[in-house]
Amino acid sequence: MPSLLDLTSQGDVGTISDESKLASVTLMSPQQLYELWERQNWQSHTIDFTRDRQDWASMDPALRRQLAWNLSSFFIGEERVTTQFSGLVMAYESQSEEAFLTTQQVDEARHAQHFNRFYEQVLGIEGTFEDRLARARGDLNPAFVEMFDGVLVDWGRRLVENPGDLEAKVDFVTLYHMIIEGTLALTGQWFLTDYMERMGILPGWVEGFRLISQDEHRHVAYGTWFLREKAADPALKRRIAERLAELIPLAAAVLVPPGADPNSYAILDYTMEETNTFAFNALHRRLKVIGIDLASLAAAATA
Ligand SMILES: [Fe+2]
Ligand SMILES: [Fe+2]
């Protein structure tokens, strides 16, 4: 039986391509994920941005504008997922789960620190952390704002108000770990890192982003474990599927660059088909582990 322990240096179950293994894959427990966090800990403030500053200064202004939307979506996204996470920490059901969830919250704060430092030292945006967040907000698209300022905040608040509400916890993890991290963030991370490496630019940013991606795989591994446990209850399994059917159209809209045709666009030099296929294949594989079929979900949504 394949073990997720073998996969965590590269990814979580979303990276397994052999579908026959998915239903029986062994998932890491929150205790194992906490211990992995101790081994994979890193520092955002030691990354050297010297080359990045030179690359940014000499970059074609058109590419700088394209990158702004991608980078700002991550900067604001990391700030949002840090500040809206507290309700899930409060909703722990075991000591090991509590330990893991606190590491996830500090990971998200570290990711926001990486971007804040990049915006200050490479983009040269002076002032406070808040000033840089305010500047980055100008680059977002409306679907992103709806997801991160609307749905995420509302569903997080339900957990803060009642941490014992299991349905609220299932909704929150479905949104946060399956959609925001597993579908959107890991897709953006894969394509952006690939692009920077092909172009040979922004090495400090790439170093930080690779470490962020390693953290995100650990987070998504927790979400997959949690939802598989809860999906043993048919009512909760149905609830996860209903939430996904609501969220997938909004997630697809988050991937559209501002002002672009939603039916035909490119992100950097990747086509809409490439980015969407990557995003939804990874979601499909994780849902198979949980016991939910994405294809039948899509059919139900259009019925
Ligand atoms: Fe993050
Ligand atoms: Fe995360």
Side-chain angles (χ1 to χ4, degrees), residues 78 81 104 107-108 111 176-177 181 212 215-216 219-220:
E78 297 292 6
V81 298
Q104 177 163 351
D107 283 345
E108 306 301 6
H111 303 169
Y176 192 120
H177 295 73
E181 296 183 316
I212 287 173
D215 289 344
E216 296 302 347
H219 303 168
V220 174

Side-chain angles (χ1 to χ4, degrees), residues 21 28 36 74 78 97 107 144 148 170 173 209 222 232 286 303:
K21 294 177 180 168
M28 289 181 84
L36 184 61
F74 273 97
E78 297 292 6
E97 189 184 16
D107 283 345
F144 182 101
F148 287 81
V170 164
V173 174
F209 219 42
Y222 159 79
R286 293 190 187 99

